[in-house]
Amino acid sequence: MTVPGRLPEPYGQGGSANLADILERVLDKGIVIAGDIRINLLDIELLTVKLRLVVASVDKAKEMGIDWWESDPDLSTRARRDELARENAELRARLARLEELAPARAPQDVREESP
């Protein structure tokens, strides 16, 4: 298979490349497309679209310093567990503060209030 003349030849003049070669090269070198679209009306933000597109092998992306999928709870089970542990710790701390603020009750007071 030859590449049409209007496209740049990735391997120099006279070389031919098939789709697998091109994909291998893209994954090896990596392509990153990032952009934000924000629509404001009179300083009021109406819409924000954040676009992050990375086409590269995982090793190449990590080499470039891109590893957001490791900390995103929607994509990583470890990140999801970490987020649940953090949320659990926050709730426990909140409960401890509430228990400190509540007046001390004897166990029989609690039984009398129960239906």
Side-chain angles (χ1 to χ4, degrees):
M1 178 178 155
T2 59
V3 177
R6 60 186 170 96
L7 296 175
E9 295 184 22
Y11 296 110
Q13 286 191 347
S16 64
N18 60 25
L19 185 59
D21 292 336
I22 294 171
L23 182 60
E24 181 181 337
R25 188 168 185 170
V26 166
L27 292 175
D28 183 48
K29 299 293 181 186
I31 296 174
V32 177
I33 299 172
D36 295 337
I37 300 170
R38 183 172 293 156
I39 299 174
N40 292 339
L41 178 64
L42 301 174
D43 292 332
I44 298 171
E45 185 174 323
L46 296 178
L47 176 68
T48 298
V49 177
K50 293 185 175 189
L51 174 67
R52 306 290 184 264
L53 177 64
V54 176
V55 179
S57 66
V58 171
D59 293 336
K60 184 63 179 179
K62 285 184 175 180
E63 185 181 312
M64 292 186 295
I66 301 169
D67 60 355
W68 48 263
W69 60 86
E70 292 180 350
S71 61
D72 188 337
D74 293 331
L75 300 175
S76 168
T77 55
R78 184 181 52 165
R80 190 174 310 130
R81 271 184 269 143
D82 292 347
E83 185 174 305
L84 285 174
R86 181 192 54 76
E87 186 178 330
N88 193 14
E90 285 178 11
L91 289 173
R92 286 179 187 269
R94 229 173 126 184
L95 179 62
R97 282 194 309 266
L98 287 172
E99 287 177 346
E100 287 176 5
L101 293 174
R105 290 180 166 185
Q108 67 229 19
D109 294 341
V110 174
R111 268 187 258 129
E112 291 173 1
E113 292 178 4
S114 300

Coordinates of all heavy atoms in Angstrom, one line a residue, residues 26 29-35 51-56 60-61 64 66 68:
V26 N 2.4 6.6 15.9 CA 1.6 7.5 16.7 C 1.7 7.1 18.2 O 1.9 7.9 19.0 CB 0.2 7.6 16.2 CG1 -0.7 8.2 17.2 CG2 0.1 8.3 14.9
K29 N 5.3 7.9 19.5 CA 5.6 9.3 19.7 C 4.5 10.0 20.5 O 4.8 10.9 21.3 CB 5.7 10.1 18.4 CG 6.8 9.5 17.5 CD 8.1 9.8 18.1 CE 9.2 9.3 17.1 NZ 10.5 9.5 17.7
G30 N 3.3 9.7 20.3 CA 2.2 10.3 21.1 C 1.6 11.5 20.5 O 2.4 12.3 19.9
I31 N 0.3 11.7 20.6 CA -0.3 12.9 20.2 C -1.2 13.4 21.3 O -1.9 12.6 21.9 CB -1.2 12.7 18.9 CG1 -0.4 12.2 17.7 CG2 -2.1 13.9 18.6 CD1 -1.3 11.8 16.6
V32 N -1.1 14.7 21.7 CA -1.9 15.2 22.7 C -2.7 16.4 22.2 O -2.1 17.3 21.6 CB -1.1 15.7 23.9 CG1 -1.9 16.3 25.0 CG2 -0.3 14.5 24.5
I33 N -4.0 16.4 22.4 CA -4.8 17.5 22.0 C -5.6 17.9 23.3 O -6.3 17.1 23.9 CB -5.9 17.1 20.9 CG1 -5.1 16.6 19.7 CG2 -6.8 18.3 20.6 CD1 -6.0 16.0 18.6
A34 N -5.4 19.2 23.7 CA -6.0 19.7 24.9 C -6.6 21.1 24.5 O -6.0 21.9 23.8 CB -5.0 19.8 26.0
G35 N -7.8 21.3 25.1 CA -8.4 22.6 24.9 C -9.6 22.8 25.8 O -10.2 21.9 26.3
L51 N -11.6 19.7 27.0 CA -11.2 18.6 26.1 C -9.8 18.1 26.3 O -8.9 19.0 26.3 CB -11.4 19.0 24.6 CG -11.0 18.0 23.6 CD1 -11.9 16.8 23.6 CD2 -10.9 18.7 22.2
R52 N -9.6 16.9 26.6 CA -8.3 16.3 26.8 C -8.3 15.0 26.0 O -9.0 14.1 26.3 CB -8.0 16.0 28.3 CG -8.2 17.1 29.2 CD -7.1 18.2 29.0 NE -7.2 19.2 30.0 CZ -7.8 20.4 29.8 NH1 -8.4 20.6 28.7 NH2 -7.9 21.3 30.7
L53 N -7.4 15.0 25.0 CA -7.3 13.8 24.2 C -5.9 13.4 24.0 O -5.0 14.2 23.6 CB -7.9 14.1 22.8 CG -7.8 13.0 21.8 CD1 -8.6 11.7 22.2 CD2 -8.3 13.4 20.4
V54 N -5.6 12.2 24.4 CA -4.2 11.7 24.3 C -4.3 10.4 23.5 O -5.0 9.5 23.8 CB -3.6 11.4 25.7 CG1 -2.2 10.8 25.6 CG2 -3.6 12.7 26.6
V55 N -3.5 10.4 22.5 CA -3.3 9.2 21.7 C -1.9 8.8 21.8 O -1.0 9.4 21.2 CB -3.8 9.4 20.3 CG1 -3.6 8.1 19.5 CG2 -5.2 9.9 20.2
A56 N -1.6 7.8 22.6 CA -0.2 7.4 22.8 C -0.3 6.0 23.6 O -1.3 5.7 24.1 CB 0.6 8.4 23.6
K60 N 4.3 5.7 26.9 CA 4.7 7.0 26.4 C 4.0 8.1 27.2 O 4.6 9.1 27.5 CB 4.4 7.1 24.9 CG 4.8 8.4 24.3 CD 6.3 8.5 24.4 CE 6.8 9.8 23.7 NZ 8.3 9.9 23.8
A61 N 2.7 7.9 27.5 CA 2.0 8.9 28.2 C 2.6 9.1 29.6 O 2.7 10.3 30.1 CB 0.5 8.5 28.4
M64 N 5.6 11.1 29.4 CA 5.3 12.6 29.2 C 4.7 13.2 30.5 O 4.5 14.4 30.5 CB 4.3 12.7 28.1 CG 4.8 12.4 26.7 SD 3.7 12.7 25.3 CE 2.3 11.6 25.7
I66 N 1.8 12.3 31.9 CA 0.4 12.2 31.9 C -0.1 10.9 32.5 O 0.2 9.9 32.0 CB -0.1 12.3 30.5 CG1 0.3 13.6 29.8 CG2 -1.7 12.2 30.4 CD1 0.1 13.7 28.3
W68 N -3.3 11.0 34.6 CA -4.5 11.4 35.3 C -5.5 10.3 35.5 O -6.3 10.3 36.4 CB -5.2 12.6 34.6 CG -5.3 12.3 33.1 CD1 -4.5 12.8 32.1 CD2 -6.3 11.6 32.4 NE1 -5.0 12.4 30.9 CE2 -6.1 11.6 31.1 CE3 -7.4 10.8 32.9 CZ2 -6.8 11.0 30.1 CZ3 -8.2 10.2 31.9 CH2 -7.9 10.3 30.6

